[in-house]
Amino acid sequence: MLLCKKDIYYGYFISCKTVESAFLFRKKKTLLDDSHLEIIPFSFRQTSYETEIKDLQKELTTVDFCPVTDDCISENTNFTYTVFSPDRKERKDKAIILLHGLNERSWDKYLTWAEYLATHTGRAVILFPIAFHMNRAPRIWGNPRSILPWVNVRKKEVQDVTNSTFVNVALSSRISKQPLRFYVSGLQSAYNIMQLVQEIKNGEHPLFKENTSVNIFAYSIGALLSQVLLLANPEEMFSESRLFMFCGGSIFSYMNGNARDILDKEASDRLMKYYVDEFLKSYPIGLSSKSISLEQAFKMMISPDVMRTQRESFFETACNRIQAISLKQDIVIPTEGVMNALGKASQKILEELDFSFTYSHQTPFPFLKDVGKELVNKSFNRVFQKASSFLANG
């Protein structure tokens, strides 16, 4: 299928509708003619660490609207991911994995991000979904009509709950019932990314050559997942990877997920209390001098004073491979939290921006008209020009 983009420059608004239209056909390969990009779907089946993940998921408490345990949700282990790839015949040798934020069901806002990165870096951009997000969860969880009754149930169960909506009730209920689910899902996502990267580097992926260079663009909670992967560096597969974080990279205890489209207040408070007050005590760190496990790496990112020396030493050593942009008015992932994660290395890695229009963490590039439209385009280009320049190398 061929889709043309006439008279397009890389302004955020101009390309959005065209790319979204193309993405509707993602079940088959689609060509964006003027940008010479292909949008290609690939199937993923979880095979690595399958037993370890299932054993953890079987122990997690279920919720009424989903009475089966997490290991029985087939959408989460067999799914499709999409790649924006430069339109060339030969297999690629450079890739970027794009990771999204918490409680996301649609790739819409990321499509122009992926298009820009692929066009300006020459790398194939892989839109990879985190466990139980996007198309890795039952469709009913994102269906307003189906899930709305559970908002009423949630409000009855949790007295005076605020910010409870049909958008966040599935995640909020599952996190409240069992906050360990956040860690287990993150661990599964890390294992899945490791499997994908290993397949790519081994030359087993149909789109990529052996020893392909893999960089990461991470937004919001995807940045935390990326930091854990780079800290642990399993099998040294991320030793040379570059990471660009946008609206992400905070130490966990500084994050605030209390929002109508992320988590309700009770779930947000429960999540924070569990990891800051309970998780570290229940699961001792036990750091090895030889290597860092994914679990240990996650614990390093929970609170500023937990393994501060090891964490800050890593970011100082890796500062040439990591860059980050935070937004001044972002209350979900504040700049202060990113600085507490990176330590002194934040002076080399982090840049805080503040746009001259109303924005939020969830919507950094809102759809505005007239003069506002040009301001958003300018800000979008500023962020992604920097990201592209950085991620094109390595």
Side-chain angles (χ1 to χ4, degrees), residues 224-242:
L224 175 61
L225 175 58
S226 302
Q227 288 167 307
V228 168
L229 284 167
L230 264 65
L231 278 162
N233 193 22
E235 299 182 33
E236 299 186 351
M237 64 176 66
F238 299 103
S239 296
E240 298 179 1
S241 294
R242 289 191 168 206

Side-chain angles (χ1 to χ4, degrees), residues 130-357:
I130 294 172
F132 298 104
H133 286 64
M134 301 298 186
N135 56 317
R136 294 186 64 172
R139 288 188 179 182
I140 189 175
W141 293 5
N143 186 314
R145 180 172 295 181
S146 300
I147 208 72
L148 191 58
W150 292 106
V151 178
N152 298 325
V153 172
R154 176 91 175 137
K155 289 179 178 179
K156 290 179 181 178
E157 289 180 345
V158 183
Q159 189 175 7
D160 299 324
V161 65
T162 56
N163 275 341
S164 179
T165 68
F166 72 86
V167 177
N168 69 29
V169 69
L171 182 61
S172 296
S173 299
R174 283 164 51 80
I175 290 295
S176 292
K177 187 71 73 171
Q178 180 57 270
L180 182 61
R181 180 172 274 117
F182 177 84
Y183 168 73
V184 174
S185 297
L187 187 62
Q188 180 179 27
S189 301
Y191 284 149
N192 295 161
I193 293 169
M194 288 163 54
Q195 177 182 325
L196 174 67
V197 172
Q198 199 68 65
E199 290 172 356
I200 290 173
K201 289 186 174 294
N202 288 345
E204 298 168 359
H205 193 290
L207 188 62
F208 298 102
K209 297 178 182 178
E210 187 176 355
N211 296 320
T212 285
S213 164
V214 179
N215 290 340
I216 303 173
F217 179 97
Y219 164 79
S220 191
I221 206 67
L224 175 61
L225 175 58
S226 302
Q227 288 167 307
V228 168
L229 284 167
L230 264 65
L231 278 162
N233 193 22
E235 299 182 33
E236 299 186 351
M237 64 176 66
F238 299 103
S239 296
E240 298 179 1
S241 294
R242 289 191 168 206
L243 167 63
F244 190 96
M245 302 183 291
F246 177 50
C247 293
S250 172
I251 207 79
F252 179 81
S253 61
Y254 276 73
M255 298 181 187
N256 177 19
N258 178 20
R260 293 176 61 82
D261 48 2
I262 304 178
L263 291 169
D264 63 39
K265 187 176 187 304
E266 194 275 340
S268 179
D269 291 347
R270 178 81 176 98
L271 185 69
M272 189 60 64
K273 177 175 175 55
Y274 176 78
Y275 285 98
V276 173
D277 295 342
E278 301 173 34
F279 185 76
L280 291 175
K281 296 177 183 177
S282 302
Y283 301 86
I285 294 172
L287 181 64
S288 166
S289 59
K290 294 182 179 180
S291 62
I292 298 174
S293 68
L294 290 169
E295 179 183 327
Q296 291 163 342
F298 173 64
K299 290 171 181 174
M300 292 172 72
M301 293 298 302
I302 292 178
S303 296
D305 294 330
V306 175
M307 301 169 66
R308 180 192 295 270
T309 301
Q310 294 93 329
R311 184 184 66 248
E312 293 185 359
S313 175
F314 167 77
F315 287 118
E316 183 66 36
T317 302
C319 66
N320 291 331
R321 297 191 292 118
I322 303 173
Q323 284 192 2
I325 288 179
S326 65
L327 297 181
K328 188 174 183 178
Q329 297 177 40
D330 187 343
I331 61 175
V332 177
I333 307 288
T335 299
E336 184 181 5
V338 185
M339 294 174 66
N340 270 277
L342 302 177
K344 292 182 179 179
S346 62
Q347 299 173 15
K348 305 173 185 177
I349 294 173
L350 177 64
E351 178 182 6
E352 182 187 66
L353 299 181
D354 189 23
F355 303 147
S356 55
F357 50 83

Side-chain angles (χ1 to χ4, degrees), residues 360-377:
S360 67
H361 171 86
Q362 299 92 316
T363 311
F365 307 112
F367 282 93
L368 302 177
K369 296 180 179 180
D370 303 325
V371 176
K373 177 178 177 180
E374 296 304 317
L375 292 174
V376 174
N377 277 338

